[in-house]
Amino acid sequence: HTTRGPTLKSRAGDIHLEVGAALSPPLDPAHGVGRDEVRKGLKALRPVLPQLLAPGAPSGFLRVLGRRKLVEGILVEARRCRRRSPKDLIHIGIGGSSLGAEVLWRALAHPQHNLLPASRRKGPRVHFVDNVDPESLGALLEWVDLRHSLVHVVSKSGGTVETAAAFQVVRQALEKRVGRTWARHCVATTGKGALGALASRERIATLPFPEDVGGRFSGLTASGLFTPAVAGVDVVPLLAGARRMLSRMRSVEPEQNPAAVAAAIAHRMETAKDKPIHVLMPYADALEPLARWFVQLCGESLGKKRGRGDRTRHVGPTPLAARGTTDQHSQVQLFVEGPPDKLVSFVRIQAQGRQVPIPGTEPAAYLDGVRLGALLEAEQRGTAVALARAGRPSVTWELPALDAGSLGQLLVALETQTAYQAALLGLDAFDQPGVEAGKVA
């Protein structure tokens, strides 16, 4: 078996997708997807991208990449806030309104950003409030100096109860600490709702949350970009990478569109190969939030019921987050020898930023001259080979480097893959009636 195989054509600087370890052959037809099956799925996907880019599309997550004025507004506000030199930035949101920003910040900021002294940091320490656990938020407010803090609250509707509750707690603490000037410490990314009305009334600086973009698809809007920008991340090449992937998808046939190929394979795995679990397993600590973001993106977009009455069907893959190499010593045992019900999507970094050599001493003298990055890559390939030998399918997203351009490409590819899978399932990827039912209850 080989984990290599068809690799979609790409230019220097492009991310690319290895799919050989998901195909039949080399896998048995019961576990691998045949080439003709992939081609059939790609044929069905041909009209989807033009539909996503059309003015009346149900989501503008791709069209928003061309709205330059939105980006300019984010950068202007980020520069204004940076001039005030806040020591801490508290990001309040939930779901995509928090995960998008966390993905970008964790992947692109210094790995120990919050632990660095102020003289070595590019911006304030960053704290994400994405739950209503009183221990976490209470402890944060006991520790940060709100006189030198900035609060970024994100809610499209303004009525999400967790975000509203957390913001009200932080607002009260701000009022006690700084008095009537509390609103100067806040920025709201929101739409036309209760939070927008409050921001207007209290003169809180506001960034628009695009009406045609849902939270889990909002990472490349103010929802996801503003906090990393204030923290010192250059988001301009991130957007350039996103536009590069969109341009690539528009200019090639579906057979060379990595998002379409990934979707066609994942769809067949779920619907024809009895593999309803889709694992995202990045081999980079900085991409751990990406796996959690993928779980929300996939779960809320594809886990739906279809039809009515006796014809009701409950569809959608179950997303699972894993991290290499850590989960090789826990979940991979399940992936290799447990039920054959999983597709694993690896994320591998081709060129590591830091070169850390391993000394040739005991207890593993044979590692002399090997770098940690090479070991990390060998671990990923070894896991893929072990899966293939056991007849378990996988695909691999390879990034040239863990940089803004590559990350922008990957986010757009995974978002578009999700939209493609929804089309193959006959679903609306952009609603979440199950979430709304929980809110009402």
Side-chain angles (χ1 to χ4, degrees):
H1 295 290
T2 176
T3 64
R4 292 185 181 274
T7 297
L8 306 193
K9 295 177 182 178
S10 58
R11 303 166 296 170
D14 282 348
I15 69 172
H16 67 266
L17 180 66
E18 292 180 2
V19 298
L23 299 178
S24 172
L27 297 184
D28 184 276
H31 300 294
V33 179
R35 274 77 171 170
D36 288 341
E37 293 178 279
V38 177
R39 293 188 189 100
K40 184 177 179 180
L42 293 173
K43 183 178 180 181
L45 290 176
R46 190 173 292 274
V48 175
L49 188 59
Q51 292 168 359
L52 289 171
L53 292 167
S59 174
F61 77 95
L62 291 176
R63 295 196 309 273
V64 77
L65 297 176
R67 299 174 189 170
R68 307 277 177 165
K69 289 186 178 180
L70 286 177
V71 179
E72 292 170 5
I74 297 167
L75 297 178
V76 167
E77 184 60 29
R79 286 193 291 266
R80 183 188 73 82
C81 291
R82 283 176 59 82
R83 284 195 293 268
R84 295 170 53 191
S85 300
K87 294 180 180 179
D88 292 278
L89 194 169
I90 301 172
H91 182 111
I92 303 174
I94 197 165
S97 295
S98 177
L99 281 169
E102 187 178 357
V103 167
L104 303 184
W105 176 70
R106 274 287 304 278
L108 301 176
H110 189 284
Q112 302 297 335
H113 176 95
N114 280 2
L115 298 180
L116 293 175
S119 60
R120 292 186 57 195
R121 280 200 318 271
K122 293 183 178 181
R125 292 175 294 237
V126 180
H127 314 279
F128 290 94
V129 177
D130 62 354
N131 203 351
V132 290
D133 186 331
E135 293 299 320
S136 300
L137 182 52
L140 178 64
L141 294 178
E142 290 169 4
W143 180 75
V144 298
D145 185 350
L146 292 174
R147 296 173 303 172
H148 304 288
S149 296
L150 175 69
V151 177
H152 182 209
V153 55
V154 183
S155 175
K156 182 177 180 179
S157 67
T160 304
V161 66
E162 298 93 340
T163 302
F167 180 58
Q168 287 167 211
V169 170
V170 174
R171 171 187 172 175
Q172 183 182 56
L174 266 172
E175 287 181 307
K176 289 181 178 179
R177 199 77 175 105
V178 303
R180 295 181 179 179
T181 63
W182 68 271
R184 298 178 188 174
H185 293 256
C186 300
V187 175
T189 294
T190 190
K192 299 175 182 178
L195 180 58
L198 173 69
S200 178
R201 186 168 64 251
E202 299 291 346
R203 298 184 179 180
I204 297 173
T206 305
L207 291 168
F209 200 125
E211 289 295 325
D212 60 348
V213 179
R216 59 187 176 274
F217 289 90
S218 69
L220 298 175
T221 70
S223 168
L225 295 172
F226 176 75
T227 289
V230 175
V233 171
D234 184 0
V235 300
V236 173
L238 180 76
L239 291 163
R243 295 185 186 112
R244 178 176 182 143
M245 175 54 72
L246 176 57
S247 175
R248 176 181 173 186
M249 292 190 300
R250 296 179 73 175
S251 63
V252 297
E253 292 297 310
E255 291 79 5
Q256 289 299 323
N257 177 342
V261 173
I265 290 173
H267 174 70
R268 290 299 292 174
M269 289 295 180
E270 179 198 352
T271 59
K273 309 297 176 179
D274 294 323
K275 302 192 189 309
I277 298 174
H278 191 167
V279 182
L280 188 75
M281 191 171 185
Y283 273 67
D285 287 345
L287 293 181
E288 182 272 331
L290 177 78
R292 290 187 282 114
W293 170 86
F294 174 79
V295 166
Q296 190 215 0
L297 177 71
C298 182
E300 282 196 356
S301 300
L302 303 178
K304 306 285 173 70
K305 69 178 181 179
R306 190 174 63 191
R308 294 181 179 179
D310 294 339
R311 295 186 177 182
T312 298
R313 291 185 59 212
H314 302 273
V315 300
T318 297
L320 187 65
R323 177 169 59 115
T325 64
T326 302
D327 282 315
Q328 289 179 206
H329 300 271
S330 56
Q331 296 192 75
V332 166
Q333 173 62 38
L334 172 67
F335 300 166
V336 173
E337 291 194 346
D341 56 0
K342 301 168 191 70
L343 166 67
V344 178
S345 289
F346 295 109
V347 181
R348 180 176 67 230
I349 312 300
Q350 188 175 32
Q352 300 289 336
R354 289 175 174 80
Q355 302 299 321
V356 181
I358 305 171
T361 56
E362 296 298 334
Y366 60 86
L367 292 174
D368 185 29
V370 177
R371 298 182 184 273
L372 282 179
L375 176 58
L376 187 67
E377 181 177 351
E379 296 262 10
Q380 185 273 319
R381 291 195 181 279
T383 303
V385 168
L387 287 169
R389 286 175 175 168
R392 312 302 170 92
S394 69
V395 300
T396 300
W397 292 96
E398 184 169 276
L399 279 58
L402 185 50
D403 57 21
S406 296
L407 185 62
Q409 292 180 61
L410 182 62
L411 290 180
V412 168
L414 292 175
E415 288 175 340
T416 309
Q417 174 186 342
T418 302
Y420 279 141
Q421 283 181 249
L424 290 171
L425 287 168
L427 301 174
D428 181 353
F430 308 107
D431 66 355
Q432 54 275 337
V435 175
E436 300 304 321
K439 291 181 180 180
V440 172

